[in-house]
Amino acid sequence: MNVTSSSTFGFPSLEEGWSPQGLMSVYSVPYLIGIVLVMSTTYVWSTSNASLKKLPHVNPPDFFSNTKARLQYRNSANTLLQKARKQYPNQPYRMTTDYGEVVMVQSEWFEEIRNSQHLSFLGTVPQERICEIPGFEPLAALGEDGALVQIIARKQLTKMLNQVTAPLSQETAFAASINLGESGEWRELVIMPALRDITARMSSRVFVGEELTRNDEWLSILKNYTVDAFNALNSLAKCPVYIRPYIYWLFPECNRVRNYYGRAKEVLDPIMKKRDDMKRAALEAGQPVPVFNDALEWIVQESKEHSCGYDTATFQLIISVVALNTTTDLLQTVLIDLIQHPEAMQAIRDEIVEVLKVDGWKKSALYNMKLLDSALKESQRLCPVFSAMRRAVEADTVLPDGTRVKKGSRIHIDTHRMVDPEVYRNPEEWQCDRFSEMRSQPGKEHLGQLVTTSVDHFGFGHGSHACPGRFFAANELKIALCHLLMKYDWELAPGTPLDIFRFGFTQRANTATKVRCRRRESVELDIDAI
Ligand code: HEM
């Protein structure tokens, strides 16, 4: 056999003799395949935590590859969760995921570890290695210790709630009008882009101030960055963790993300410079220094207070990534649930009228919309962002049963109590007043509120990393729904898809859902005149 001309992919037979050089030059393809197989097996083996070997495994990898197990996770994570709940009811177990082997824990145990200093939500971001890709710097900043976004969401954003109800309502009126129109004729539309534009405009009013909120280029960057970043995360999730930083350029959405990131800097830099110039000029003239109350300014203040650096564009895109998709999603989910329950929609309209007539656009009005609050919490219960919460283990941690989980591993917490018949009656049924009813029961007034987290409702997570933006998000959602429900009639478009989009533990509303809407002829209350 003339080895130099061989094109077969077989290994050389013993009769043909053997030399390493020959193998490299001629049989390089099978040789390389062999290396890759050995490396990936070593990788699978090395990434599995030796101390956890005694835990059962719900979808163990094959001897040579974890591809099948990862596919199972990606396409049917919820089925795996259900199976494991039956098989391993009161013990931790292992699951193969797109980010390696993780330790799964049942909801009940989370109460005991929820405030552990060694478990981090944002620490899971660097584990996925996406943040090493150009354009994903905002995700990298999310994973850094003491990220300013947490501080700002907890402190400044929540403090601001008293002042922003009326401005947010004005912005929603504008956004609803341009996205849904003023016509009394029915029109059909894919609802998610319209809702994303509404939430982008609302949050921009608070994050970047009035001037940029009406800047179309800024809004386009914001919306596209979050959509493409999410799509890129899903595409890259299919590749092994360790090769992600090297093959990102194969995915067009990654290149777009980098492009939007660059454009965000170009839009924001002149605004920041203009503000600096105004402040300097005022100081030099002995005039009061202008005060801006938005996240562009909060980041300057907080970075000084915490003696750390910051980048305006990075920070703004971080806030958008954590805020925009999640808020838009819940807005769509509850709107679709209400369209399917017209009597609940009318009851909420009645509540809005009753409350706004008394309170006007004050923060207290939003607190008093208890049925609306309940509808949001109920929709979130049935379609939370994550079907299993995530925590990066930043120092060795002992689980309630004594299992030691090593630093660098990852824990996921099954959120099944949100649909457990022992916790909720008819858990699969959407019941608008489920949580307003709960609020009327002594001792449960607090538990039934949208912003309250517990092991029975992980919609905003739970414990020391529970979503710090939830108070703002709750207000934003209620204001948006006041406008959508009071001003428009709604129907589902015939035959429209409604099924939830699931990818591993991530869940999202359907991006293709179509609705029909028209401006209502007679309204109980003109909410723009309040
Ligand atoms: C409906 C809208 C939202 C939903 C459903 C949502 C949901 C969540 C969830 C499930 C977590 C993980 C919590 C955990 O694992 O315990 C989280 C974390 C976080 N969210 Fe939200 N979120 C929303 C809006 C926002 C907004 C508007 C902001 C800020 C402006 C925000 C900022 C954050 C931050 C900074 C974290 C990380 C907290 C930490 O690691 O300590 N979120 N969110």
Side-chain angles (χ1 to χ4, degrees):
M1 181 184 177
N2 180 354
V3 285
T4 53
S5 64
S6 170
S7 62
T8 59
F9 280 7
F11 285 99
S13 68
L14 287 174
E15 291 85 348
E16 285 165 346
W18 184 88
S19 85
Q21 290 81 3
L23 187 70
M24 279 303 285
S25 57
V26 181
Y27 295 103
S28 52
V29 173
Y31 184 71
L32 286 176
I33 291 173
I35 290 181
V36 169
L37 283 176
V38 169
M39 276 176 69
S40 47
T41 311
T42 312
Y43 174 77
V44 170
W45 177 80
S46 65
T47 50
S48 60
N49 193 329
S51 69
L52 300 174
K53 287 277 180 267
K54 65 177 169 47
L55 298 185
H57 203 314
V58 67
N59 60 338
D62 296 336
F63 186 71
F64 281 118
S65 149
N66 62 6
T67 308
K68 200 171 124 213
R70 283 177 56 201
L71 260 180
Q72 256 184 322
Y73 156 77
R74 206 177 297 146
N75 298 334
S76 42
N78 284 3
T79 313
L80 285 175
L81 289 172
Q82 274 167 16
K83 178 179 156 198
R85 276 201 293 278
K86 286 198 190 102
Q87 281 183 340
Y88 326 116
N90 282 315
Q91 67 179 116
Y93 61 94
R94 289 176 291 160
M95 189 187 284
T96 303
T97 68
D98 278 331
Y99 15 85
E101 190 176 89
V102 304
V103 180
M104 300 298 305
V105 172
Q106 306 293 353
S107 335
E108 289 79 0
W109 284 13
F110 191 58
E111 205 57 81
E112 290 185 48
I113 51 172
R114 72 189 174 110
N115 290 329
S116 163
Q117 295 301 306
H118 306 318
L119 299 179
S120 149
F121 169 72
L122 294 178
T124 56
V125 176
Q127 286 183 333
E128 294 176 28
R129 299 202 58 185
I130 308 268
C131 50
E132 294 164 39
I133 296 170
F136 287 84
E137 286 83 350
L139 296 188
L142 258 181
E144 282 166 15
D145 278 345
L148 291 177
V149 65
Q150 285 147 296
I151 300 164
I152 286 173
R154 250 174 221 127
K155 188 171 141 191
Q156 307 269 20
L157 193 58
T158 308
K159 198 165 76 189
M160 182 82 172
L161 293 181
N162 271 328
Q163 304 159 41
V164 292
T165 310
L168 280 181
S169 171
Q170 285 157 17
E171 206 53 51
T172 317
F174 176 75
S177 174
I178 55 173
N179 281 288
L180 305 173
E182 295 292 329
S183 167
E185 299 294 315
W186 285 107
R187 62 179 286 216
E188 192 169 300
L189 71 159
V190 177
I191 191 62
M192 189 165 281
L195 297 182
R196 186 178 296 110
D197 188 71
I198 293 172
T199 51
R201 287 171 188 277
M202 292 177 82
S203 47
S204 291
R205 180 77 179 238
V206 176
F207 296 165
V208 288
E210 227 169 323
E211 186 182 344
L212 263 182
T213 302
R214 298 283 170 100
N215 178 321
D216 286 341
E217 156 119 47
W218 172 248
L219 288 168
S220 146
I221 293 170
L222 209 61
K223 290 182 286 180
N224 287 317
Y225 185 88
T226 48
V227 170
D228 272 323
F230 181 81
N231 290 340
L233 289 177
N234 283 349
S235 307
L236 286 161
K238 294 173 190 154
C239 312
V241 172
Y242 57 105
I243 65 165
R244 290 175 192 174
Y246 310 106
I247 46 113
Y248 67 87
W249 48 270
L250 292 170
F251 300 91
E253 54 271 42
C254 291
N255 298 329
R256 289 199 295 271
V257 162
R258 191 174 60 226
N259 180 25
Y260 296 131
Y261 182 52
R263 279 166 58 198
K265 282 178 181 293
E266 283 163 22
V267 173
L268 290 173
D269 285 350
I271 303 265
M272 296 310 282
K273 184 170 178 315
K274 189 167 133 195
R275 289 187 177 192
D276 285 346
D277 291 347
M278 285 166 74
K279 288 180 198 163
R280 201 173 313 108
L283 268 178
E284 282 165 13
Q287 306 275 327
V289 176
V291 177
F292 302 95
N293 197 2
D294 54 39
L296 287 176
E297 202 61 25
W298 302 336
I299 182 79
V300 181
Q301 291 163 13
E302 293 297 336
S303 66
K304 272 191 200 137
E305 200 169 304
H306 293 87
S307 313
C308 54
Y310 72 94
D311 175 80
T312 310
T314 305
F315 172 70
Q316 282 296 333
L317 292 177
I318 293 174
I319 297 207
S320 315
V321 167
V322 293
L324 258 193
N325 279 341
T326 47
T327 311
T328 307
D329 241 50
L330 183 50
L331 186 54
Q332 170 163 330
T333 307
V334 73
L335 181 62
I336 299 300
D337 286 335
L338 287 170
I339 296 175
Q340 292 175 295
H341 297 86
E343 68 307 329
M345 188 184 289
Q346 191 51 48
I348 288 176
R349 282 186 180 133
D350 296 344
E351 179 185 74
I352 293 170
V353 173
E354 197 182 311
V355 170
L356 285 182
K357 269 187 182 162
V358 177
D359 293 345
W361 281 117
K362 287 199 212 113
K363 190 179 139 196
S364 59
L366 303 178
Y367 174 81
N368 287 326
M369 292 177 188
K370 294 182 181 167
L371 190 59
L372 179 54
D373 192 273
S374 176
L376 280 157
K377 197 172 178 84
E378 177 69 343
S379 294
Q380 197 185 36
R381 183 180 69 79
L382 290 170
C383 182
V385 186
F386 301 124
S387 58
M389 292 191 333
R390 50 177 70 187
R391 292 289 182 270
V393 181
E394 298 191 327
D396 289 9
T397 298
V398 179
L399 296 178
D401 71 333
T403 304
R404 179 172 287 275
V405 188
K406 288 242 181 275
K407 177 181 172 184
S409 343
R410 182 159 165 151
I411 294 182
H412 278 260
I413 302 101
D414 185 349
T415 62
H416 77 278
R417 282 179 70 85
M418 290 171 84
V419 285
D420 185 342
E422 289 187 14
V423 182
Y424 296 102
R425 196 155 15 99
N426 301 330
E428 303 304 331
E429 209 175 275
W430 186 88
Q431 288 175 17
C432 188
D433 61 353
R434 188 188 291 276
F435 291 101
S436 51
E437 275 288 305
M438 185 185 277
R439 275 171 90 165
S440 65
Q441 292 167 29
K444 294 197 172 169
E445 301 86 348
H446 191 57
L447 209 59
Q449 290 184 39
L450 174 60
V451 290
T452 304
T453 67
S454 75
V455 287
D456 295 340
H457 200 305
F458 288 107
F460 287 110
H462 188 43
S464 51
H465 294 290
C467 175
R470 64 191 188 278
F471 304 94
F472 174 70
N475 284 12
E476 203 182 6
L477 286 159
K478 286 182 195 171
I479 295 168
L481 283 160
C482 283
H483 285 263
L484 299 182
L485 302 184
M486 293 304 296
K487 292 180 176 173
Y488 296 90
D489 285 321
W490 296 93
E491 280 179 7
L492 292 179
T496 191
L498 293 174
D499 45 318
I500 295 172
F501 170 78
R502 292 195 166 93
F503 188 98
F505 294 140
T506 308
Q507 311 192 122
R508 294 205 60 195
N510 196 312
T511 50
T513 298
K514 280 187 178 172
V515 297
R516 281 157 49 83
C517 74
R518 69 174 176 199
R519 189 78 202 216
R520 294 175 77 207
E521 263 171 29
S522 64
V523 290
E524 301 84 345
L525 179 71
D526 178 2
I527 61 171
D528 290 335
I530 296 169

